[in-house]
Amino acid sequence: MSKITIYDKAMCCPTGLCGVQVDPKLTQFAADLDWLKSQGHDVQRWNLAQDPAHFATHTTVQHLLETQGVDCLPIIFIDDSVRSQGDYPSRHTLAEWTHSKLATPSTLPLIIGQSSCQGSSGCC
């Protein structure tokens, strides 16, 4: 299983899912991280406002912040390699990076050639 580490911008809470205007991207990303955890991956998430020591002790994160500023956040590491900077990847992308299988969406069966509608019944 993969180790996923996220270094987020400064937010009011660890996930950014607080306040009156929650960014839908953060909501989706939090759900995607929960999904990764359910697949058995080790997920760690650090917030600059609440976990500054994790930023200060990671040399790659320090270097990126010094050279690019906070616009490089979030920084996403997969197994200690930078995979993404400045944006939150989709679940599909996370699944590719971690070699996780996405569930196949279920669909309703399609019945061809049969109809419960009878010409004059008024249902169609």
Short mmCIF file of all heavy atoms in Angstrom, two decimals, residues 6-7 13-14 45-57:
data_model
loop_
_atom_site.label_atom_id
_atom_site.label_comp_id
_atom_site.label_asym_id
_atom_site.label_seq_id
_atom_site.Cartn_x
_atom_site.Cartn_y
_atom_site.Cartn_z
N ILE A 6 -0.09 14.88 2.46
CA ILE A 6 -0.57 16.14 1.89
C ILE A 6 -0.14 17.28 2.79
O ILE A 6 -0.34 17.24 4.00
CB ILE A 6 -2.11 16.15 1.75
CG1 ILE A 6 -2.57 15.02 0.84
CG2 ILE A 6 -2.59 17.49 1.21
CD1 ILE A 6 -3.02 13.80 1.58
N TYR A 7 0.46 18.30 2.19
CA TYR A 7 0.83 19.54 2.88
C TYR A 7 -0.08 20.63 2.34
O TYR A 7 0.08 21.08 1.20
CB TYR A 7 2.31 19.87 2.65
CG TYR A 7 3.24 18.90 3.34
CD1 TYR A 7 3.59 17.70 2.75
CD2 TYR A 7 3.74 19.19 4.61
CE1 TYR A 7 4.42 16.81 3.39
CE2 TYR A 7 4.57 18.29 5.26
CZ TYR A 7 4.91 17.11 4.65
OH TYR A 7 5.74 16.22 5.30
N CYS A 13 -9.19 24.80 9.85
CA CYS A 13 -9.26 23.48 10.49
C CYS A 13 -8.45 22.51 9.64
O CYS A 13 -8.06 22.85 8.53
CB CYS A 13 -10.72 23.03 10.64
SG CYS A 13 -11.58 22.80 9.08
N PRO A 14 -8.19 21.32 10.12
CA PRO A 14 -7.30 20.39 9.39
C PRO A 14 -7.72 20.09 7.96
O PRO A 14 -6.88 19.84 7.10
CB PRO A 14 -7.31 19.13 10.24
CG PRO A 14 -7.64 19.59 11.60
CD PRO A 14 -8.57 20.76 11.43
N ARG A 45 -2.20 14.13 6.56
CA ARG A 45 -2.51 15.45 6.02
C ARG A 45 -2.10 16.51 7.02
O ARG A 45 -2.50 16.45 8.19
CB ARG A 45 -4.02 15.53 5.73
CG ARG A 45 -4.41 16.75 4.94
CD ARG A 45 -5.86 16.68 4.51
NE ARG A 45 -6.19 17.78 3.63
CZ ARG A 45 -7.40 18.03 3.17
NH1 ARG A 45 -8.39 17.22 3.48
NH2 ARG A 45 -7.60 19.05 2.39
N TRP A 46 -1.28 17.46 6.55
CA TRP A 46 -0.78 18.51 7.41
C TRP A 46 -1.24 19.87 6.89
O TRP A 46 -1.23 20.13 5.70
CB TRP A 46 0.75 18.47 7.48
CG TRP A 46 1.29 17.11 7.81
CD1 TRP A 46 2.04 16.32 7.00
CD2 TRP A 46 1.09 16.38 9.02
NE1 TRP A 46 2.32 15.14 7.63
CE2 TRP A 46 1.77 15.15 8.88
CE3 TRP A 46 0.43 16.63 10.22
CZ2 TRP A 46 1.80 14.18 9.88
CZ3 TRP A 46 0.45 15.68 11.21
CH2 TRP A 46 1.13 14.48 11.05
N ASN A 47 -1.62 20.74 7.82
CA ASN A 47 -2.13 22.07 7.53
C ASN A 47 -1.10 23.08 8.03
O ASN A 47 -0.67 23.00 9.18
CB ASN A 47 -3.47 22.22 8.27
CG ASN A 47 -4.10 23.56 8.15
OD1 ASN A 47 -3.44 24.59 8.07
ND2 ASN A 47 -5.42 23.57 8.17
N LEU A 48 -0.69 24.01 7.19
CA LEU A 48 0.35 24.97 7.53
C LEU A 48 0.02 25.76 8.80
O LEU A 48 0.90 26.02 9.62
CB LEU A 48 0.60 25.93 6.37
CG LEU A 48 1.71 26.96 6.54
CD1 LEU A 48 3.04 26.29 6.86
CD2 LEU A 48 1.82 27.84 5.30
N ALA A 49 -1.24 26.10 9.00
CA ALA A 49 -1.62 26.88 10.19
C ALA A 49 -1.58 26.06 11.47
O ALA A 49 -1.27 26.59 12.54
CB ALA A 49 -3.02 27.46 10.00
N GLN A 50 -1.87 24.78 11.37
CA GLN A 50 -1.98 23.95 12.58
C GLN A 50 -0.80 23.00 12.79
O GLN A 50 -0.61 22.51 13.90
CB GLN A 50 -3.29 23.16 12.54
CG GLN A 50 -4.48 24.09 12.54
CD GLN A 50 -5.79 23.35 12.38
OE1 GLN A 50 -5.81 22.16 12.11
NE2 GLN A 50 -6.88 24.07 12.55
N ASP A 51 -0.05 22.73 11.75
CA ASP A 51 1.06 21.77 11.84
C ASP A 51 2.35 22.33 11.26
O ASP A 51 3.01 21.67 10.45
CB ASP A 51 0.69 20.48 11.08
CG ASP A 51 -0.65 19.91 11.50
OD1 ASP A 51 -0.80 19.56 12.68
OD2 ASP A 51 -1.54 19.82 10.62
N PRO A 52 2.77 23.54 11.64
CA PRO A 52 3.95 24.15 11.01
C PRO A 52 5.24 23.35 11.18
O PRO A 52 6.12 23.40 10.32
CB PRO A 52 4.04 25.52 11.66
CG PRO A 52 3.31 25.39 12.95
CD PRO A 52 2.22 24.39 12.69
N ALA A 53 5.35 22.59 12.24
CA ALA A 53 6.57 21.80 12.47
C ALA A 53 6.79 20.78 11.36
O ALA A 53 7.93 20.51 10.96
CB ALA A 53 6.52 21.11 13.83
N HIS A 54 5.71 20.21 10.83
CA HIS A 54 5.85 19.23 9.74
C HIS A 54 6.38 19.89 8.47
O HIS A 54 7.10 19.26 7.69
CB HIS A 54 4.52 18.54 9.47
CG HIS A 54 4.12 17.60 10.55
ND1 HIS A 54 4.66 16.34 10.68
CD2 HIS A 54 3.25 17.75 11.58
CE1 HIS A 54 4.14 15.75 11.74
NE2 HIS A 54 3.28 16.59 12.30
N PHE A 55 6.04 21.14 8.26
CA PHE A 55 6.52 21.89 7.10
C PHE A 55 7.99 22.26 7.31
O PHE A 55 8.79 22.19 6.37
CB PHE A 55 5.68 23.15 6.88
CG PHE A 55 4.29 22.88 6.38
CD1 PHE A 55 3.31 22.36 7.21
CD2 PHE A 55 3.95 23.17 5.07
CE1 PHE A 55 2.03 22.12 6.74
CE2 PHE A 55 2.67 22.94 4.58
CZ PHE A 55 1.71 22.40 5.43
N ALA A 56 8.33 22.67 8.52
CA ALA A 56 9.68 23.13 8.82
C ALA A 56 10.72 22.02 8.80
O ALA A 56 11.89 22.28 8.54
CB ALA A 56 9.69 23.83 10.18
N THR A 57 10.30 20.79 9.05
CA THR A 57 11.26 19.69 9.13
C THR A 57 11.37 18.88 7.85
O THR A 57 12.20 17.98 7.77
CB THR A 57 10.90 18.74 10.29
OG1 THR A 57 9.57 18.24 10.09
CG2 THR A 57 11.00 19.46 11.63
#
